[in-house]
């Protein structure tokens, strides 16, 4: 219907070539090659180029005709067919204006070169005795539009990267357990009911349940949280998540397209193929403007044919073509692209990367922001926040002792403890006889002392008296109410203190959300984390709407529900688990410090992971949209003033002076374009 190439309806992990992009790029290159000499021939006499004196006028005109027809019919053929398709389907858009303007400018100029005698003296240049030509306008319109198409196609091609990255999360093979032993089989051969072994450090192949073993599993794919989850008998496993240090035997339940990861891929693919609800402002205006211009041209032709002076036919043709020429969408075609180009450049300098112009326009109208917690509102890097020593222990000694044991652990929170010791430049002693208990803690020999770090139950199993554990629990209670994770440290079964670890909130998060609320955008936190932790963070940030323990499907459904209620929804996140919601939203915004899948899925990337960029991007998008409206007003105002003059409306009353000479029309088109460009350049200082 729109004349553009079809998109795949079924997502695949294969990287395929884009024939439309290749074709448009080739047409653009050829267009640039031909338009350069065309502009030199057309503009040479005006700016005094030597080439203008070396080529006879008629030869120059015929060369311009050949070059322009080559550009219009050769390079710009797809644009013309889309314009014709819009007339055939009744869905008038920018391609209608482009095709009409190109046909008018090029057709008028071809007539002027082939049959100059058809034109009255008033439409001839005094120096050359020939009508003015508009080949340069026709050629430049085609080249500029081709450039825009190439940029759009390149942006669309990147959407396939997100699908390929998602599909790469699953392993190629699985370890199948049979009566004859263990054998490796392709993932496609796994069936529901199969028993599979998952070795330490491997990705879980399909969805299922644990039937033997115990381990930590990194489920950040689903929850977005960095803390691995303990998995033991009958606990659910999700394909694509990563097993920790333990060995597991699982029972396969969902395979192929039924897995959680496959459903995420399907949701992302479907949302990426869909179109945002907002349509381009220029297209909506063009739907009214184009038929009006065509109607005015037809009325002009008939009126001058029946009522005009001799030669009536020649005068009627010239007047009608003049209407179409003056309505040529030079300024209209520049109105949106110039604002977008300058706006996107300004955004890049602010660390905001827009995938396409649609996101830049749509972001201006959002009224709901669904925002992930970990890595978006918080730093995504656990850190030690509290050190509470017991028994007159020095805080640095407490941290160094804990870090000594945790240095041998692969747990993410252990990394935070070690990092805190390094920040304080503490000497971390070596550990021997290290052991790790899944879901409990770690222990080892440090300076001939048995050190244990973990939960109170773990320390009690290591011989710590219950009375000491009960007293320590009272110290930990207020920390846990703040959503922090608490580690207890014991030396030779005596508690020497505790450490609290949390993911700090980004400094600018609260002020950013407050400014968004003042701008009419309601924030809501969506997270896979537990409700207690999420509520604590939301309270600190002044967020009233909180939804916790959500799966990727649930986040996606929240977006669809708000859209169905008439809201314009933006989603901000950083993890693979956010990908379906990012893709389904009117605008998806990913932290540049997050996962590659989130970045490739989202329409906007905040390069530095700066949450304040959300508010800046929304403010900039409003400035760009306002600038586009101003440009379109300037462009269409030129048309509204120029069309009556071109139609000769004032000639019967005020005389021949009140008609639009082609040279004046060309100058007016240039001035309108310059006005649009100058207005767009003001965006270089927007959203400061």
């Amino acid at each position: 219907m729109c004349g553009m190439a079809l998109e795949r309806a079924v997502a695949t992990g294969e990287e395929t070539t884009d024939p439309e992009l290749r074709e448009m790029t080739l047409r653009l290159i050829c267009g640039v090659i031909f338009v350069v000499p065309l502009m030199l021939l057309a503009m040479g006499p005006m700016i005094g180029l030597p080439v203008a004196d070396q080529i006879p006028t008629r030869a120059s005109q015929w060369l311009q005709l050949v070059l322009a027809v080559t550009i219009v019919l050769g390079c710009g053929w797809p644009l013309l067919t889309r314009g014709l398709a819009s007339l055939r389907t009744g869905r008038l858009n920018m391609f209608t204006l482009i095709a009409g303007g190109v046909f008018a400018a090029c057709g008028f100029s071809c007539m002027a070169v082939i049959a100059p005698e058809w034109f009255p003296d008033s439409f001839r240049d005094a120096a050359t005795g020939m009508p003015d030509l508009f080949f340069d306008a026709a050629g430049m319109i085609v080249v500029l539009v081709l450039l825009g198409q190439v940029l759009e196609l390149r942006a669309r091609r990147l959407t396939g990267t997100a699908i390929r990255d998602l599909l790469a999360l699953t392993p190629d093979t699985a370890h199948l357990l049979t009566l004859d032993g263990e054998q490796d089989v392709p993932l496609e051969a796994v069936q529901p009911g199969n028993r599979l072994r998952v070795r330490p450090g491997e990705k879980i192949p399909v969805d299922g349940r644990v039937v033997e073993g115990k381990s930590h599993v990194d489920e950040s794919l689903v929850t977005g949280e960095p803390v691995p989850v303990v998995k033991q008998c009958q606990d659910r496993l999700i394909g694509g998540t990563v097993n920790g240090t333990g060995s597991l035997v699982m029972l396969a339940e969902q395979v192929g397209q039924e897995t959680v990861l496959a459903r995420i891929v399907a949701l992302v693919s479907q949302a990426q193929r869909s179109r945002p609800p907002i349509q381009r402002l220029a297209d909506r205006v063009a739907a009214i403007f184009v038929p009006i211009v065509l109607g005015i041209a037809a009325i002009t032709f008939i009126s001058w044919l029946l009522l005009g002076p001799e030669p009536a036919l020649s005068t009627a043709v010239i007047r009608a073509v003049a209407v179409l020429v003056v309505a040529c969408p030079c300024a209209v075609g520049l109105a949106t692209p110039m604002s977008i180009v300058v706006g996107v450049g300004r955004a890049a300098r602010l660390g905001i990367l827009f995938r396409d112009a649609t996101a830049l326009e749509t972001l201006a109208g959002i009224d709901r922001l669904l925002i992930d917690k970990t890595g978006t509102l918080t730093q995504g890097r656990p850190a030690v926040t509290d050190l509470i020593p017991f028994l007159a222990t020095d805080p640095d000694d407490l941290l160094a002792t804990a870090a000594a044991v945790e240095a041998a652990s692969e747990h993410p929170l252990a990394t935070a403890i070690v990092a805190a010791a390094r920040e304080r430049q503490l000497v971390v002693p070596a550990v021997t006889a290290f052991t790790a208990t899944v879901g409990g803690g770690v222990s080892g020999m440090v300076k001939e002392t048995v050190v244990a770090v973990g939960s109170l139950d773990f320390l009690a199993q290591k011989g710590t008296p219950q009375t000491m554990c009960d007293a320590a629990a009272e110290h930990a209670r207020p920390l846990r109410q703040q959503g922090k994770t608490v580690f207890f440290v014991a030396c030779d079964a005596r508690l020497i203190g505790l450490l609290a670890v949390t993911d700090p909130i980004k400094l600018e998060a609260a002020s950013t959300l407050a400014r968004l609320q003042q701008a009419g955008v309601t924030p809501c936190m969506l997270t896979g984390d537990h409700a207690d932790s999420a509520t604590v963070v939301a309270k600190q940030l002044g967020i009233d709407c909180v939804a916790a323990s959500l799966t990727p499907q649930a986040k996606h459904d929240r977006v669809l529900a708000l859209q169905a209620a008439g809201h314009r929804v933006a989603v901000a996140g950083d993890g693979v688990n956010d990908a379906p919601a990012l893709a389904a939203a009117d605008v998806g915004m990913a932290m540049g410090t997050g996962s590659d899948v989130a970045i490739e899925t989202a329409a906007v990337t905040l390069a530095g992971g700066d949450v304040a960029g959300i508010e800046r991007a929304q403010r900039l998008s409003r400035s760009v949209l306002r600038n586009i409206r101003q440009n379109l007003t300037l462009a269409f105002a030129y048309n509204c003033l120029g069309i009556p003059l071109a139609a000769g409306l004032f000639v019967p009353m005020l005389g021949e002076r009140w008609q639009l000479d082609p040279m004046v029309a060309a100058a007016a088109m240039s001035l309108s374009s310059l006005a649009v460009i100058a207005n767009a350049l003001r965006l270089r200082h927007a959203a400061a």
Side-chain angles (χ1 to χ4, degrees), residues 2-4 20 23-24 27 71-85 95 99 142 146 149:
C2 67
M4 302 179 74
E20 187 182 17
E23 177 190 349
M24 285 293 184
R27 290 179 182 275
I71 295 172
V72 171
L73 297 183
C75 304
W77 183 251
L79 310 180
L80 302 181
T81 56
R82 292 176 190 177
L84 294 174
F95 288 114
V142 170
L146 285 173
Q149 291 298 294

Side-chain angles (χ1 to χ4, degrees), residues 15-55:
E15 184 172 3
T16 58
T17 59
D18 188 342
E20 187 182 17
L21 174 59
R22 186 171 61 250
E23 177 190 349
M24 285 293 184
T25 303
L26 180 60
R27 290 179 182 275
L28 174 61
I29 294 173
C30 293
V32 171
I33 293 173
F34 286 113
V35 84
V36 171
L38 174 61
M39 296 300 294
L40 290 175
L41 290 170
M43 304 299 293
M46 301 180 187
I47 60 178
L49 289 179
V51 68
D53 299 328
Q54 299 175 8
I55 302 177

